[in-house]
Amino acid sequence: MSNYKIQSSKFDIWTLDFDIRKMLILGIETSCDETAAALVAGGREILSSVVATQLDLHSRYGGVVPEIAARRHAELIGYVIDQAIVSAGRTLGDVEAVAVTARQGLVGCLLVGAAAAKTLSYARRIPLVGIHHIEGHVFANLLSNPTLPVPHVCLTVSGGHTMLLLVEAPCRYRVLGVTLDDAAGEAFDKVAKFLGLGFPGGPAIEKAAREGNGRAFRFPRPLLRAGNLDFSFSGLKTAVINAVRPLMTGGKPLPVADIAASFQEAAVEVLVSKTLRVALETGVKAVSVTGGVSANRRLRQAFTQACQNKGLEAFFPDLSLCTDNGAMVAAAGYARLNRGEVAGLDLDVVPSALMEL
Amino acid sequence: MKVLGLDTSSYANAIGVVDDGRVLADFTYEARTDSLQKIVTNIDAVLSETGLALDDIDGFGIGLGPGSWTGIRVGVTVGKMLAYSTGKPACGVTSLEALAYDAREVAETVCTVISAGARDAVYAALFQTGEGGLSRVGDYYVGDVAGLARLGGRGAVYVSAWPPLGEKLAEALGAGPDYKIINGVPRGGTIALLSAARLALGQPDDALALAPLYLKESTARAMQAGIIK
Ligand SMILES: [Zn+2]
């Protein structure tokens, strides 16, 4: 067989027949353990958002198992995309572009979403755009808060990431700090697992902490006094486990609520104080917090309070947009397409990718 | 009826187009780590080579594996979304069946083998290739190369979808005129032919429900179920 000439189809989105202001974008997200798709009009209006969560599959392992997650994505992807279109009352023919999380995540998981997205782009002749997962989280906040000013400082905290960004303009970011080891949400998961509170750890810790005293234990605040803006949550998790272990031998019931509350206070204090410090240094007027951990009520309360004290505004996404979803990917895709950025059909996935500036 | 077939279960990826039993294109290329990057542009290239547009295709044949877990997820996802996007039917075909079909003139019983990606692990099955069409004999085999000798039996013809595997197999079987080893890969044209036959009988699969054939639990699942410690 002779070698075929490989053609890479590129779309010039300006020659396509639609109005970008109303453009209907399908957003696909499979970077971790949620199979998600959504239809968003004009980068703002969410017509549908379908999230097939795999929590039940991973809970028994106390964390996301990559191979199990990838298998589930491959089973569900078509149904989730179809459901996003049908529940919006539209047909596949109405979809004008497809955006997909292609950077940062579990490689086997990213592959499924990207394969689906590029096939749709090819078969329907609609533009394709690949999104960095963290940029998606930034846009979850923009979707929920149309008045969120730019520039602002954005903290993304979830089971997979802890990242502090300066959002200079839509699609222009400066990375200020990242976690040096575990993500914040990962520390919540591990402490919850240790305390026997179940998975995911964020909601479990929050619930247990409600009955507890956040000052009962004085856990360390890793890197709080360090000059940089990086985070370390592995040390905090270890400190909790080391402090709790001796208490487990006496036969007395463990003060689970106090431990959960004290751990939560330590994590929240580190996140709030570093974010606030950089917000004041850069002179922005607003702070946004996104990602799964941003659903934590204590975290929201602490951020709101601290921002008020310093004359800043605090923004959080709607609860439905905190965890991974397709709407945030579609919204980010709209912004990228608006800048004329279109991916080729040879789009590849990058499991650990830097945020582009 | 024009059918496009694709397979990404082996070290080679494959795309083929058939029209009423005639193979119009059958393109195989190495794609060990860049399956995702190449698959859609290569589908487009194969179609342009045949002078057909995607809309001219009446159905899709999708290689389900077994084989590389990551690889088959790419092919199955692309295949099901092609069917979904075009509103055309699809059929799933196993990689071992495709290998057996290509060896149907070599022997009446063939043992097809595909690499499971780790060390000596393989997936295999025994097929009858006679007049009545292709039929699998017994269950799928999941295990090491050495165990294949028992599966194939004396006088067996093995079809191996990974050349180094063929060499290991020859080593495991030892010297003797008893067996024959052929190298092959699951071909897009073959997947398309086998699918076309089933589509002609009005037996498509539910495209969105198609899932890779792994044959093996993931390690975590197996640990959970107590299958491995
Ligand atoms: Zn996320």
Side-chain angles (χ1 to χ4, degrees):
Chain A
M1 194 91 245
S2 67
N3 275 334
Y4 288 95
K5 191 166 159 278
I6 309 293
Q7 307 168 333
S8 180
S9 314
K10 291 257 182 195
F11 296 90
D12 177 358
I13 68 162
W14 305 113
T15 65
L16 293 177
D17 183 25
F18 54 70
D19 181 351
I20 185 118
R21 288 165 303 173
K22 296 179 192 142
M23 192 185 203
L24 199 60
I25 302 181
L26 173 69
I28 299 173
E29 156 64 45
T30 62
S31 68
C32 191
D33 61 339
E34 319 277 10
T35 317
L39 269 195
V40 174
R44 279 270 181 232
E45 191 193 346
I46 302 172
L47 303 183
S48 67
S49 180
V50 177
V51 180
T53 180
Q54 304 182 359
L55 277 182
D56 56 327
L57 282 179
H58 301 283
S59 59
R60 62 185 66 159
Y61 305 106
V64 176
V65 184
E67 176 62 23
I68 292 178
R71 288 186 177 198
R72 197 74 176 143
H73 287 311
E75 283 166 25
L76 294 179
I77 187 71
Y79 292 116
V80 168
I81 289 170
D82 188 51
Q83 187 59 31
I85 294 167
V86 170
S87 65
R90 303 299 179 104
T91 65
L92 183 57
D94 297 330
V95 177
E96 291 169 303
V98 54
V100 65
T101 304
R103 293 189 295 285
Q104 192 141 314
L106 300 166
V107 63
C109 296
L110 290 166
L111 277 168
V112 174
K118 64 165 74 180
T119 308
L120 284 168
S121 164
Y122 171 63
R124 305 300 311 174
R125 298 179 187 286
I126 52 176
L128 170 72
V129 58
I131 298 299
H132 191 293
H133 183 71
I134 301 286
E135 180 167 46
H137 280 300
V138 170
F139 274 86
N141 232 325
L142 290 162
L143 263 175
S144 300
N145 305 289
T147 61
L148 173 58
V150 176
H152 68 262
V153 165
C154 177
L155 172 71
T156 303
V157 264
S158 74
H161 16 262
T162 305
M163 191 185 268
L164 199 49
L165 285 178
L166 175 64
V167 181
E168 293 174 320
C171 305
R172 212 169 76 226
Y173 312 100
R174 190 137 46 94
V175 177
L176 303 167
V178 293
T179 182
L180 301 177
D181 40 56
D182 290 357
E186 207 176 340
F188 275 78
D189 287 342
K190 287 176 179 170
V191 170
K193 189 180 180 184
F194 183 73
L195 296 176
L197 294 172
F199 177 82
I205 293 276
E206 183 180 356
K207 192 168 166 227
R210 255 178 248 151
E211 314 293 321
N213 173 6
R215 291 183 194 169
F217 294 83
R218 179 68 196 173
F219 294 127
R221 271 66 171 154
L223 300 186
L224 187 60
R225 308 267 164 253
N228 61 33
L229 292 164
D230 291 328
F231 301 94
S232 163
F233 285 100
S234 172
L236 173 57
K237 169 206 71 187
T238 309
V240 172
I241 291 173
N242 287 343
V244 170
R245 211 166 253 140
L247 307 176
M248 297 171 95
T249 50
K252 274 195 290 182
L254 213 55
V256 170
D258 287 347
I259 298 165
S262 302
F263 161 72
Q264 183 173 265
E265 280 312 307
V268 165
E269 188 185 331
V270 171
L271 293 170
V272 170
S273 64
K274 290 223 171 192
T275 308
L276 266 281
R277 192 205 304 162
V278 72
L280 293 170
E281 277 170 16
T282 50
V284 296
K285 299 278 178 286
V287 163
S288 75
V289 190
T290 73
V293 179
S294 74
N296 183 293
R297 270 181 252 176
R298 175 65 195 124
L299 184 77
R300 288 188 174 213
Q301 188 191 30
F303 259 106
T304 307
Q305 188 66 56
C307 284
Q308 246 167 33
N309 294 345
K310 302 289 182 189
L312 297 167
E313 255 190 299
F315 292 89
F316 311 94
D318 294 343
L319 287 177
S320 62
L321 297 179
C322 287
T323 45
D324 296 348
N325 62 85
M328 68 187 199
V329 178
Y334 175 83
R336 291 276 167 195
L337 287 167
N338 221 341
R339 296 155 57 95
E341 295 177 25
V342 185
L345 291 174
D346 57 352
L347 173 74
D348 201 8
V349 299
V350 187
S352 48
L354 296 173
M355 276 290 274
E356 283 155 348
L357 300 180
Chain B
M1 182 167 52
K2 298 179 188 68
V3 175
L4 184 144
L6 60 98
D7 189 280
T8 55
S9 60
S10 77
Y11 74 100
N13 284 185
I15 299 160
V17 180
V18 300
D19 184 11
D20 291 333
R22 222 157 33 95
V23 178
L24 304 184
D26 203 353
F27 180 40
T28 302
Y29 55 99
E30 186 161 326
R32 291 167 69 180
T33 55
D34 50 4
S35 223
L36 173 76
Q37 242 178 308
K38 288 177 175 170
I39 184 81
V40 176
T41 46
N42 279 351
I43 288 171
D44 189 43
V46 168
L47 281 171
S48 10
E49 188 81 355
T50 59
L52 295 172
L54 184 61
D55 292 339
D56 298 326
I57 298 297
D58 303 304
F60 297 93
I62 304 171
L64 298 178
S68 152
W69 291 350
T70 303
I72 50 186
R73 278 193 284 270
V74 170
V76 170
T77 304
V78 168
K80 72 164 77 173
M81 295 317 290
L82 279 173
Y84 175 72
S85 306
T86 57
K88 303 287 172 56
C91 259
V93 174
T94 73
S95 54
L96 296 173
E97 188 184 350
L99 288 167
Y101 184 83
D102 284 348
R104 68 193 179 285
E105 274 154 23
V106 179
E108 279 182 14
T109 307
V110 295
C111 178
T112 58
V113 191
I114 195 163
S115 169
R119 279 160 280 160
D120 276 1
V122 294
Y123 305 115
L126 213 55
F127 286 89
Q128 294 283 1
T129 63
E131 294 280 297
L134 210 56
S135 62
R136 198 180 77 233
V137 185
D139 219 339
Y140 290 108
Y141 172 84
V142 183
D144 60 6
V145 172
L148 281 174
R150 212 170 44 238
L151 180 71
R154 293 192 77 78
V157 170
Y158 294 90
V159 185
S160 158
W162 175 223
L165 205 61
E167 288 162 28
K168 276 188 185 159
L169 186 53
E171 250 172 63
L173 294 168
D178 271 16
Y179 62 87
K180 188 171 175 179
I181 298 168
I182 315 170
N183 287 317
V185 289
R187 297 168 75 90
T190 308
I191 301 262
L193 279 176
L194 291 167
S195 301
R198 277 174 45 206
L199 291 173
L201 293 171
Q203 297 168 348
D205 290 316
D206 177 354
L208 290 189
L210 280 175
L213 178 66
Y214 297 105
L215 287 186
K216 239 176 112 179
E217 294 279 14
S218 76
T219 312
R221 260 287 161 86
M223 284 169 82
Q224 175 70 27
I227 301 166
I228 55 172
K229 290 252 153 46

